[in-house]
Amino acid sequence: MKLDRIDIKILHVLQQNGRMTNVELAEMVNLSPSPCLVRLKNLQSEGYIEGYTALINIAKLGQALTVFTEVTLKNHRQTDFARFLAAIERIEQLIECHVISGGYDYLLKFVTTGIGEYQEIMERLVELDVGIDKYFSFVVLKSPIRKTQLPLTKLFQPG
């Protein structure tokens, strides 16, 4: 499926409010409701829209600690990467994992109840012997900018 500017606009608008009605969406992208719904269903079936979710204000729920962790593996064979990923994907407090170029292999993002819980997780990972050579932890003190919307209309301008 080749996207055009209207498809990109639909995706852009849905990022702002995934709960809007099709009529509201159609109005915002300058389409009538029926063709808008067809496009929306195509975007969903082709996997451009992975799902809909709610943004939770975790500060309202109580105290939580966010930690970014740089991880370097001892070895860099495919089996080493697979073993490490198999171990970390079961950690519920791990909310992001990125393979990184440069001085380390992975950048992980944890949200935990506190430093004690984070340290238990990391100690367990080291004890499991899943190939970690070293890791560095960075505790988030504040997040003054936190965006959930990608700049789709700037990144992708179909021609």
mmCIF file of all heavy atoms in Angstrom, residues 71-83 99-100 102-106 131 133:
data_model
loop_
_atom_site.group_PDB
_atom_site.id
_atom_site.type_symbol
_atom_site.label_atom_id
_atom_site.label_comp_id
_atom_site.label_asym_id
_atom_site.label_seq_id
_atom_site.Cartn_x
_atom_site.Cartn_y
_atom_site.Cartn_z
ATOM 1 N N VAL A 71 23.508 -1.286 28.165
ATOM 2 C CA VAL A 71 24.003 -2.648 28.381
ATOM 3 C C VAL A 71 24.963 -3.019 27.257
ATOM 4 O O VAL A 71 24.657 -2.821 26.079
ATOM 5 C CB VAL A 71 22.839 -3.672 28.417
ATOM 6 C CG1 VAL A 71 23.371 -5.100 28.523
ATOM 7 C CG2 VAL A 71 21.886 -3.367 29.562
ATOM 8 N N THR A 72 26.108 -3.566 27.661
ATOM 9 C CA THR A 72 27.076 -4.108 26.706
ATOM 10 C C THR A 72 27.182 -5.607 26.957
ATOM 11 O O THR A 72 27.339 -6.037 28.105
ATOM 12 C CB THR A 72 28.461 -3.454 26.890
ATOM 13 O OG1 THR A 72 28.313 -2.042 26.761
ATOM 14 C CG2 THR A 72 29.446 -3.957 25.847
ATOM 15 N N LEU A 73 27.081 -6.385 25.896
ATOM 16 C CA LEU A 73 27.204 -7.843 26.017
ATOM 17 C C LEU A 73 28.666 -8.267 25.868
ATOM 18 O O LEU A 73 29.459 -7.590 25.207
ATOM 19 C CB LEU A 73 26.348 -8.542 24.965
ATOM 20 C CG LEU A 73 24.837 -8.295 25.032
ATOM 21 C CD1 LEU A 73 24.121 -9.122 23.978
ATOM 22 C CD2 LEU A 73 24.276 -8.572 26.414
ATOM 23 N N LYS A 74 29.004 -9.416 26.480
ATOM 24 C CA LYS A 74 30.369 -9.948 26.404
ATOM 25 C C LYS A 74 30.710 -10.376 24.984
ATOM 26 O O LYS A 74 31.812 -10.159 24.498
ATOM 27 C CB LYS A 74 30.514 -11.156 27.332
ATOM 28 C CG LYS A 74 30.402 -10.830 28.798
ATOM 29 C CD LYS A 74 30.433 -12.107 29.633
ATOM 30 C CE LYS A 74 30.069 -11.781 31.067
ATOM 31 N NZ LYS A 74 29.738 -12.967 31.845
ATOM 32 N N ASN A 75 29.736 -11.052 24.338
ATOM 33 C CA ASN A 75 29.949 -11.575 22.986
ATOM 34 C C ASN A 75 28.848 -11.044 22.071
ATOM 35 O O ASN A 75 27.784 -10.636 22.542
ATOM 36 C CB ASN A 75 29.940 -13.104 23.000
ATOM 37 C CG ASN A 75 31.066 -13.659 23.854
ATOM 38 O OD1 ASN A 75 32.231 -13.368 23.635
ATOM 39 N ND2 ASN A 75 30.705 -14.442 24.858
ATOM 40 N N HIS A 76 29.112 -11.094 20.787
ATOM 41 C CA HIS A 76 28.180 -10.489 19.841
ATOM 42 C C HIS A 76 27.733 -11.450 18.742
ATOM 43 O O HIS A 76 27.540 -11.057 17.604
ATOM 44 C CB HIS A 76 28.804 -9.215 19.246
ATOM 45 C CG HIS A 76 28.987 -8.158 20.275
ATOM 46 N ND1 HIS A 76 30.174 -8.004 20.959
ATOM 47 C CD2 HIS A 76 28.127 -7.240 20.767
ATOM 48 C CE1 HIS A 76 30.035 -7.018 21.820
ATOM 49 N NE2 HIS A 76 28.809 -6.527 21.725
ATOM 50 N N ARG A 77 27.538 -12.697 19.131
ATOM 51 C CA ARG A 77 26.976 -13.661 18.191
ATOM 52 C C ARG A 77 25.458 -13.561 18.246
ATOM 53 O O ARG A 77 24.890 -13.086 19.231
ATOM 54 C CB ARG A 77 27.425 -15.086 18.561
ATOM 55 C CG ARG A 77 28.936 -15.271 18.544
ATOM 56 C CD ARG A 77 29.291 -16.591 19.150
ATOM 57 N NE ARG A 77 28.791 -16.615 20.523
ATOM 58 C CZ ARG A 77 29.405 -17.192 21.540
ATOM 59 N NH1 ARG A 77 30.528 -17.839 21.359
ATOM 60 N NH2 ARG A 77 28.890 -17.161 22.754
ATOM 61 N N GLN A 78 24.803 -14.035 17.218
ATOM 62 C CA GLN A 78 23.331 -13.991 17.188
ATOM 63 C C GLN A 78 22.730 -14.716 18.386
ATOM 64 O O GLN A 78 21.732 -14.273 18.952
ATOM 65 C CB GLN A 78 22.793 -14.599 15.884
ATOM 66 C CG GLN A 78 22.954 -13.712 14.673
ATOM 67 C CD GLN A 78 22.138 -12.414 14.794
ATOM 68 O OE1 GLN A 78 21.689 -12.012 15.853
ATOM 69 N NE2 GLN A 78 21.963 -11.734 13.684
ATOM 70 N N THR A 79 23.335 -15.813 18.789
ATOM 71 C CA THR A 79 22.804 -16.558 19.937
ATOM 72 C C THR A 79 22.908 -15.750 21.226
ATOM 73 O O THR A 79 22.051 -15.875 22.108
ATOM 74 C CB THR A 79 23.527 -17.917 20.109
ATOM 75 O OG1 THR A 79 24.931 -17.668 20.227
ATOM 76 C CG2 THR A 79 23.260 -18.847 18.945
ATOM 77 N N ASP A 80 23.956 -14.927 21.340
ATOM 78 C CA ASP A 80 24.113 -14.087 22.531
ATOM 79 C C ASP A 80 23.008 -13.032 22.591
ATOM 80 O O ASP A 80 22.421 -12.801 23.642
ATOM 81 C CB ASP A 80 25.485 -13.405 22.535
ATOM 82 C CG ASP A 80 26.619 -14.408 22.548
ATOM 83 O OD1 ASP A 80 26.606 -15.295 23.432
ATOM 84 O OD2 ASP A 80 27.504 -14.314 21.685
ATOM 85 N N PHE A 81 22.746 -12.409 21.459
ATOM 86 C CA PHE A 81 21.678 -11.405 21.410
ATOM 87 C C PHE A 81 20.316 -12.056 21.701
ATOM 88 O O PHE A 81 19.518 -11.511 22.454
ATOM 89 C CB PHE A 81 21.641 -10.708 20.048
ATOM 90 C CG PHE A 81 22.832 -9.812 19.808
ATOM 91 C CD1 PHE A 81 23.718 -10.088 18.794
ATOM 92 C CD2 PHE A 81 23.053 -8.694 20.600
ATOM 93 C CE1 PHE A 81 24.821 -9.268 18.559
ATOM 94 C CE2 PHE A 81 24.144 -7.868 20.373
ATOM 95 C CZ PHE A 81 25.036 -8.156 19.354
ATOM 96 N N ALA A 82 20.081 -13.211 21.120
ATOM 97 C CA ALA A 82 18.800 -13.904 21.309
ATOM 98 C C ALA A 82 18.613 -14.313 22.769
ATOM 99 O O ALA A 82 17.514 -14.168 23.322
ATOM 100 C CB ALA A 82 18.727 -15.128 20.396
ATOM 101 N N ARG A 83 19.661 -14.803 23.401
ATOM 102 C CA ARG A 83 19.574 -15.214 24.810
ATOM 103 C C ARG A 83 19.281 -14.016 25.710
ATOM 104 O O ARG A 83 18.441 -14.087 26.606
ATOM 105 C CB ARG A 83 20.879 -15.887 25.225
ATOM 106 C CG ARG A 83 20.856 -16.430 26.646
ATOM 107 C CD ARG A 83 22.103 -17.184 26.947
ATOM 108 N NE ARG A 83 23.245 -16.310 26.655
ATOM 109 C CZ ARG A 83 24.457 -16.467 27.125
ATOM 110 N NH1 ARG A 83 24.725 -17.509 27.878
ATOM 111 N NH2 ARG A 83 25.427 -15.650 26.843
ATOM 112 N N VAL A 99 18.261 -1.449 20.206
ATOM 113 C CA VAL A 99 19.599 -1.860 19.797
ATOM 114 C C VAL A 99 20.284 -0.592 19.308
ATOM 115 O O VAL A 99 19.742 0.130 18.466
ATOM 116 C CB VAL A 99 19.538 -2.922 18.674
ATOM 117 C CG1 VAL A 99 20.944 -3.285 18.219
ATOM 118 C CG2 VAL A 99 18.785 -4.156 19.153
ATOM 119 N N ILE A 100 21.462 -0.323 19.848
ATOM 120 C CA ILE A 100 22.129 0.956 19.643
ATOM 121 C C ILE A 100 23.482 0.752 18.955
ATOM 122 O O ILE A 100 24.188 -0.213 19.244
ATOM 123 C CB ILE A 100 22.358 1.648 21.019
ATOM 124 C CG1 ILE A 100 21.042 1.869 21.743
ATOM 125 C CG2 ILE A 100 23.111 2.954 20.882
ATOM 126 C CD1 ILE A 100 20.117 2.841 21.096
ATOM 127 N N GLY A 102 27.350 2.273 18.448
ATOM 128 C CA GLY A 102 28.247 3.067 19.283
ATOM 129 C C GLY A 102 28.870 2.246 20.389
ATOM 130 O O GLY A 102 29.181 1.080 20.212
ATOM 131 N N GLY A 103 28.997 2.845 21.565
ATOM 132 C CA GLY A 103 29.764 2.265 22.655
ATOM 133 C C GLY A 103 29.091 1.165 23.442
ATOM 134 O O GLY A 103 29.724 0.561 24.298
ATOM 135 N N TYR A 104 27.838 0.891 23.218
ATOM 136 C CA TYR A 104 27.153 -0.183 23.934
ATOM 137 C C TYR A 104 26.136 -0.821 23.000
ATOM 138 O O TYR A 104 25.909 -0.337 21.896
ATOM 139 C CB TYR A 104 26.525 0.320 25.236
ATOM 140 C CG TYR A 104 25.620 1.522 25.082
ATOM 141 C CD1 TYR A 104 24.249 1.373 25.015
ATOM 142 C CD2 TYR A 104 26.139 2.807 25.015
ATOM 143 C CE1 TYR A 104 23.411 2.468 24.865
ATOM 144 C CE2 TYR A 104 25.301 3.911 24.866
ATOM 145 C CZ TYR A 104 23.951 3.737 24.797
ATOM 146 O OH TYR A 104 23.121 4.811 24.652
ATOM 147 N N ASP A 105 25.517 -1.909 23.446
ATOM 148 C CA ASP A 105 24.653 -2.694 22.562
ATOM 149 C C ASP A 105 23.173 -2.357 22.677
ATOM 150 O O ASP A 105 22.462 -2.339 21.677
ATOM 151 C CB ASP A 105 24.851 -4.184 22.843
ATOM 152 C CG ASP A 105 26.285 -4.617 22.593
ATOM 153 O OD1 ASP A 105 26.841 -4.235 21.556
ATOM 154 O OD2 ASP A 105 26.846 -5.337 23.448
ATOM 155 N N TYR A 106 22.692 -2.122 23.894
ATOM 156 C CA TYR A 106 21.262 -1.891 24.121
ATOM 157 C C TYR A 106 21.049 -0.673 25.011
ATOM 158 O O TYR A 106 21.844 -0.409 25.916
ATOM 159 C CB TYR A 106 20.614 -3.096 24.836
ATOM 160 C CG TYR A 106 20.552 -4.335 24.006
ATOM 161 C CD1 TYR A 106 21.521 -5.322 24.107
ATOM 162 C CD2 TYR A 106 19.512 -4.535 23.102
ATOM 163 C CE1 TYR A 106 21.464 -6.466 23.336
ATOM 164 C CE2 TYR A 106 19.449 -5.682 22.330
ATOM 165 C CZ TYR A 106 20.434 -6.636 22.448
ATOM 166 O OH TYR A 106 20.366 -7.775 21.687
ATOM 167 N N GLY A 131 24.844 -12.992 29.447
ATOM 168 C CA GLY A 131 25.851 -12.406 28.569
ATOM 169 C C GLY A 131 26.167 -10.945 28.813
ATOM 170 O O GLY A 131 26.839 -10.310 28.000
ATOM 171 N N ASP A 133 28.172 -7.938 29.894
ATOM 172 C CA ASP A 133 29.548 -7.595 30.247
ATOM 173 C C ASP A 133 29.535 -6.464 31.269
ATOM 174 O O ASP A 133 30.171 -6.538 32.312
ATOM 175 C CB ASP A 133 30.325 -7.183 28.995
ATOM 176 C CG ASP A 133 31.773 -6.852 29.298
ATOM 177 O OD1 ASP A 133 32.352 -7.462 30.216
ATOM 178 O OD2 ASP A 133 32.333 -5.960 28.619
#
